[in-house]
Amino acid sequence: MLSVKNLTRKYKNGSSYINAVDNISTDFKVGDFVFVVGASGSGKSTLLNILCGLDTKIEGSVFVDGVDTSEFTKKEWAIYRNHYVGFIFQEYNLIEHLKVWENVALPLMFQGISRKEAKVKAIEELKRVGLEKFANKRPDQMSGGQNQRIAIARALVTNPKVIMADEPTGALDTELGHKVIEYLKEVSNDRVVVVVSHDEDLAETYATRIITLEDGKIIDDSAPVTEQYIQTKEISFERPKMRFSMMMKFAKNNISSRMVRSLFTSSIVSIGYISIFLLTFLIMGINGSIIDTLGKLVPEDQYQVYNIENTEITESMMSDLQDLDEIENIRYNVSESISFESRLGDNVNSTLYPIPYDSAQLTQYGELFGRLPATDSEIVVSIATAQQMRDLLTVDEDSYGYIFDLIDGVVIDLEFISYELLDEELVTTLGSYTIVGMTTGNFMSNNVYLDYDEVLDLSELINSEVTYRTTATAYLTISSEEDVEDFYVLMRDDYNLVVENFFSSITSGVEDFMMKALKWFIGIASISLVVSGILIGLVIYTSIIERIKEIGILTAIGAKASNIVGIFLVESAFIGLLSSGIATLMALLITKAINSLFTNIIETPLNLLSAGVFEMTLLSPSVLVIAIVIAFSVVYSMLAGLIPSFKAARLNAIKALRKE
Ligand code: ADP
Ligand code: MG
């Protein structure tokens, strides 16, 4: 049961108003087959739109089952249209990109009914209008009469209490028109059916009641409702949600019907993401490579210890430190320039180092031929020193073993030569040592390595007057950042010593620099993102402009604003996914290409010189970065599509439907 009381709808006409519906009060009851007739412009469509809840800018009241609709929210109006009303338009208003059965099932899908279930009901409804065998066709493959029957099936599929039809026969020939009206009459016994028509013959033949309008007023009513309506129950406004799969379907159709444009937009948008990917990969690659290379040159677990005033760390202090729990080992940093005779009688000038506490360091970046010293009279030489001993110039990995064979077991006499006085060499003989090993790690330096205590003794011997030892290398037993920090404080307060980890101080410097670079890159990248955001917004906006009529149809059959917004948001999310997907693919391809170019042209030749120290990945792809960018892209696209989507949801359905 529908009632209107003192219903007026004003339209502005220049400076004055015209009353399209003028102070109408009447009721529509179940079982009546009502025809609203009248000349063109008499207000028939306006009245119908109001009864459907498509037009709510009214004066007076509309009651649905006794409930005053003036309190209805937009959402409740949408639910009312979806559950209570079936609307049949003059021009069928089917959605071209959906199949026949999907068109019929559409109102059900806005109720949150599954596709499968909706399909069953839609086919049933199509059977009733005799079109079930065309379920999988599209509206443009059907005739006008068939399309109007599809539209009727769509109006009836939710089993609504109210059927409204605005000139349903307007586009049909007389015979088809009669069929449509007969079918509507059939379904009218348990519903309110209101048909707008200017065909008075049709009305006379089928109507149980004819309302005649003129200038917005009822001038004749053949069978006014006399009984008083008693409210029996409240309208229920349960709010089922449209299934996400339904929004996907629309978005997918929207996009696939404009695939070229979607791909084009996504490709342009992806340029921004590609540049972000490549810049981040580059920064991460270089950063990682620098840290890797540094890690090879500066051992991570070594701490340098020195006196604040750069004065001696005394031997007693050293033994105190060695006793601390936090210190595994501490040794003076000692090295001395020494020389000895080569095979041909020349002097080989070399630097004498103790075997590192962590002797693995000797072999870490190369290989140890022979072995480490077992006594303090055994010595290890570096490959460069070995070469010089034998006057060999080439550095060829294949000949390392051969070179070692030439010097293995050779006894050398180490000398310390000081040039304190002009032209006067002061030679101190240090002793004879047997070569037992050769290291290829520190490949370019002329080094020899002896037992630590031996080096300490020798350096005392050489510098007997000046034995200041100002720096030491420590290995700590602790590794947590906090403990190390506490240890730094302890050393400063109790021993006046500074402790430093070169690796972390250098790498944190590098990381600082890289973070600054990253911020710059992000700044540049955001400009491209602003551009792509505008682009996505425009594409969605265009898509909306092209779909105004469709939005009108969806609204008329009960889509809520959130459904419309949802459809376009899914569409923009898809563009976001597509563009970041394209960007990921392109970035990975470009990364691969650049990295292999880099390896071939720069890294391999460089490594021949550096014995693998400068191993470098120029671009280092990161799954995390890719995931973040894809997620960002989807969210960002949705944000860009938000304004146009809300615009779509606010479109006036009546105006939208009039759009061709
Ligand atoms: P009918 O369906 O009987 O032909 P309508 O209900 O469409 O008549 O129109 C009734 C009156 O309201 C007409 O004078 C028409 O010009 C006017 N009207 C309808 N819609 C609008 C509108 N959106 N803006 C201004 N006037 C309108
Ligand atoms: Mg009309």
PDB file of all heavy atoms in Angstrom, residues 11 18 20 39-46 658, ligand 1:
ATOM      1  N   TYR A  11       9.232  22.646  -9.914  1.00  0.00           N
ATOM      2  CA  TYR A  11      10.436  22.825 -10.722  1.00  0.00           C
ATOM      3  C   TYR A  11      10.603  24.303 -10.979  1.00  0.00           C
ATOM      4  O   TYR A  11       9.637  25.012 -11.213  1.00  0.00           O
ATOM      5  CB  TYR A  11      10.329  22.095 -12.067  1.00  0.00           C
ATOM      6  CG  TYR A  11      10.594  20.617 -11.973  1.00  0.00           C
ATOM      7  CD1 TYR A  11       9.611  19.701 -12.320  1.00  0.00           C
ATOM      8  CD2 TYR A  11      11.843  20.148 -11.563  1.00  0.00           C
ATOM      9  CE1 TYR A  11       9.852  18.345 -12.246  1.00  0.00           C
ATOM     10  CE2 TYR A  11      12.088  18.784 -11.485  1.00  0.00           C
ATOM     11  CZ  TYR A  11      11.086  17.882 -11.830  1.00  0.00           C
ATOM     12  OH  TYR A  11      11.324  16.546 -11.755  1.00  0.00           O
ATOM     13  N   ILE A  18       7.053  25.961 -11.518  1.00  0.00           N
ATOM     14  CA  ILE A  18       5.846  25.269 -11.974  1.00  0.00           C
ATOM     15  C   ILE A  18       5.665  24.025 -11.108  1.00  0.00           C
ATOM     16  O   ILE A  18       6.638  23.420 -10.675  1.00  0.00           O
ATOM     17  CB  ILE A  18       5.882  24.878 -13.474  1.00  0.00           C
ATOM     18  CG1 ILE A  18       6.973  23.844 -13.745  1.00  0.00           C
ATOM     19  CG2 ILE A  18       6.049  26.094 -14.368  1.00  0.00           C
ATOM     20  CD1 ILE A  18       6.628  22.997 -14.939  1.00  0.00           C
ATOM     21  N   ALA A  20       4.965  20.497 -11.111  1.00  0.00           N
ATOM     22  CA  ALA A  20       4.847  19.325 -11.979  1.00  0.00           C
ATOM     23  C   ALA A  20       3.847  18.350 -11.378  1.00  0.00           C
ATOM     24  O   ALA A  20       3.101  17.690 -12.076  1.00  0.00           O
ATOM     25  CB  ALA A  20       6.207  18.654 -12.152  1.00  0.00           C
ATOM     26  N   ALA A  39      -2.073  14.135 -20.635  1.00  0.00           N
ATOM     27  CA  ALA A  39      -1.297  14.680 -21.742  1.00  0.00           C
ATOM     28  C   ALA A  39       0.176  14.742 -21.376  1.00  0.00           C
ATOM     29  O   ALA A  39       0.530  14.668 -20.196  1.00  0.00           O
ATOM     30  CB  ALA A  39      -1.794  16.079 -22.100  1.00  0.00           C
ATOM     31  N   SER A  40       0.995  14.875 -22.395  1.00  0.00           N
ATOM     32  CA  SER A  40       2.427  15.019 -22.148  1.00  0.00           C
ATOM     33  C   SER A  40       2.676  16.270 -21.302  1.00  0.00           C
ATOM     34  O   SER A  40       2.086  17.329 -21.561  1.00  0.00           O
ATOM     35  CB  SER A  40       3.146  15.121 -23.501  1.00  0.00           C
ATOM     36  OG  SER A  40       4.519  15.269 -23.276  1.00  0.00           O
ATOM     37  N   GLY A  41       3.480  16.124 -20.289  1.00  0.00           N
ATOM     38  CA  GLY A  41       3.790  17.269 -19.425  1.00  0.00           C
ATOM     39  C   GLY A  41       2.803  17.420 -18.284  1.00  0.00           C
ATOM     40  O   GLY A  41       2.876  18.377 -17.508  1.00  0.00           O
ATOM     41  N   SER A  42       1.889  16.464 -18.124  1.00  0.00           N
ATOM     42  CA  SER A  42       0.882  16.605 -17.067  1.00  0.00           C
ATOM     43  C   SER A  42       1.405  16.163 -15.702  1.00  0.00           C
ATOM     44  O   SER A  42       0.715  16.318 -14.703  1.00  0.00           O
ATOM     45  CB  SER A  42      -0.378  15.815 -17.441  1.00  0.00           C
ATOM     46  OG  SER A  42      -0.039  14.449 -17.657  1.00  0.00           O
ATOM     47  N   GLY A  43       2.589  15.555 -15.671  1.00  0.00           N
ATOM     48  CA  GLY A  43       3.189  15.226 -14.371  1.00  0.00           C
ATOM     49  C   GLY A  43       3.230  13.737 -14.059  1.00  0.00           C
ATOM     50  O   GLY A  43       3.558  13.343 -12.932  1.00  0.00           O
ATOM     51  N   LYS A  44       2.928  12.893 -15.064  1.00  0.00           N
ATOM     52  CA  LYS A  44       2.868  11.446 -14.824  1.00  0.00           C
ATOM     53  C   LYS A  44       4.227  10.884 -14.386  1.00  0.00           C
ATOM     54  O   LYS A  44       4.334  10.186 -13.373  1.00  0.00           O
ATOM     55  CB  LYS A  44       2.398  10.720 -16.098  1.00  0.00           C
ATOM     56  CG  LYS A  44       1.098  11.245 -16.689  1.00  0.00           C
ATOM     57  CD  LYS A  44       0.672  10.469 -17.921  1.00  0.00           C
ATOM     58  CE  LYS A  44       1.615  10.612 -19.123  1.00  0.00           C
ATOM     59  NZ  LYS A  44       1.624  11.965 -19.743  1.00  0.00           N
ATOM     60  N   SER A  45       5.252  11.206 -15.157  1.00  0.00           N
ATOM     61  CA  SER A  45       6.587  10.677 -14.832  1.00  0.00           C
ATOM     62  C   SER A  45       7.067  11.195 -13.493  1.00  0.00           C
ATOM     63  O   SER A  45       7.656  10.454 -12.693  1.00  0.00           O
ATOM     64  CB  SER A  45       7.593  11.071 -15.910  1.00  0.00           C
ATOM     65  OG  SER A  45       7.259  10.451 -17.125  1.00  0.00           O
ATOM     66  N   THR A  46       6.787  12.459 -13.250  1.00  0.00           N
ATOM     67  CA  THR A  46       7.216  13.051 -11.985  1.00  0.00           C
ATOM     68  C   THR A  46       6.599  12.297 -10.813  1.00  0.00           C
ATOM     69  O   THR A  46       7.288  11.950  -9.848  1.00  0.00           O
ATOM     70  CB  THR A  46       6.822  14.540 -11.951  1.00  0.00           C
ATOM     71  OG1 THR A  46       7.354  15.163 -13.120  1.00  0.00           O
ATOM     72  CG2 THR A  46       7.365  15.222 -10.712  1.00  0.00           C
ATOM     73  N   ARG A 658      17.973  10.057 -18.378  1.00  0.00           N
ATOM     74  CA  ARG A 658      17.549  10.766 -19.575  1.00  0.00           C
ATOM     75  C   ARG A 658      18.691  10.903 -20.581  1.00  0.00           C
ATOM     76  O   ARG A 658      18.505  11.209 -21.739  1.00  0.00           O
ATOM     77  CB  ARG A 658      17.035  12.162 -19.177  1.00  0.00           C
ATOM     78  CG  ARG A 658      15.708  12.476 -19.858  1.00  0.00           C
ATOM     79  CD  ARG A 658      15.187  13.826 -19.424  1.00  0.00           C
ATOM     80  NE  ARG A 658      14.410  13.745 -18.206  1.00  0.00           N
ATOM     81  CZ  ARG A 658      14.535  14.607 -17.177  1.00  0.00           C
ATOM     82  NH1 ARG A 658      15.425  15.559 -17.223  1.00  0.00           N
ATOM     83  NH2 ARG A 658      13.774  14.483 -16.126  1.00  0.00           N
TER      84      ARG A 658
HETATM   85  P1  ADP B   1       4.758  13.618 -18.260  1.00  0.00           P
HETATM   86  O1  ADP B   1       5.532  12.426 -17.803  1.00  0.00           O
HETATM   87  O2  ADP B   1       3.332  13.567 -17.884  1.00  0.00           O
HETATM   88  O3  ADP B   1       4.934  13.900 -19.691  1.00  0.00           O
HETATM   89  P2  ADP B   1       6.572  15.045 -16.584  1.00  0.00           P
HETATM   90  O4  ADP B   1       6.270  14.514 -15.221  1.00  0.00           O
HETATM   91  O5  ADP B   1       7.751  14.529 -17.248  1.00  0.00           O
HETATM   92  O6  ADP B   1       5.289  14.900 -17.503  1.00  0.00           O
HETATM   93  O7  ADP B   1       6.677  16.628 -16.467  1.00  0.00           O
HETATM   94  C1  ADP B   1       5.756  17.435 -15.768  1.00  0.00           C
HETATM   95  C2  ADP B   1       6.175  18.865 -15.851  1.00  0.00           C
HETATM   96  O8  ADP B   1       7.354  19.067 -15.118  1.00  0.00           O
HETATM   97  C3  ADP B   1       6.446  19.335 -17.268  1.00  0.00           C
HETATM   98  O9  ADP B   1       5.967  20.662 -17.397  1.00  0.00           O
HETATM   99  C4  ADP B   1       7.935  19.301 -17.368  1.00  0.00           C
HETATM  100  O10 ADP B   1       8.382  20.300 -18.260  1.00  0.00           O
HETATM  101  C5  ADP B   1       8.354  19.622 -15.951  1.00  0.00           C
HETATM  102  N1  ADP B   1       9.608  18.999 -15.616  1.00  0.00           N
HETATM  103  C6  ADP B   1       9.838  17.676 -15.528  1.00  0.00           C
HETATM  104  N2  ADP B   1      11.121  17.439 -15.171  1.00  0.00           N
HETATM  105  C7  ADP B   1      11.699  18.667 -15.053  1.00  0.00           C
HETATM  106  C8  ADP B   1      13.002  19.120 -14.698  1.00  0.00           C
HETATM  107  N3  ADP B   1      13.981  18.268 -14.400  1.00  0.00           N
HETATM  108  N4  ADP B   1      13.243  20.445 -14.658  1.00  0.00           N
HETATM  109  C9  ADP B   1      12.264  21.326 -14.942  1.00  0.00           C
HETATM  110  N5  ADP B   1      11.036  20.971 -15.270  1.00  0.00           N
HETATM  111  C10 ADP B   1      10.722  19.660 -15.333  1.00  0.00           C
END
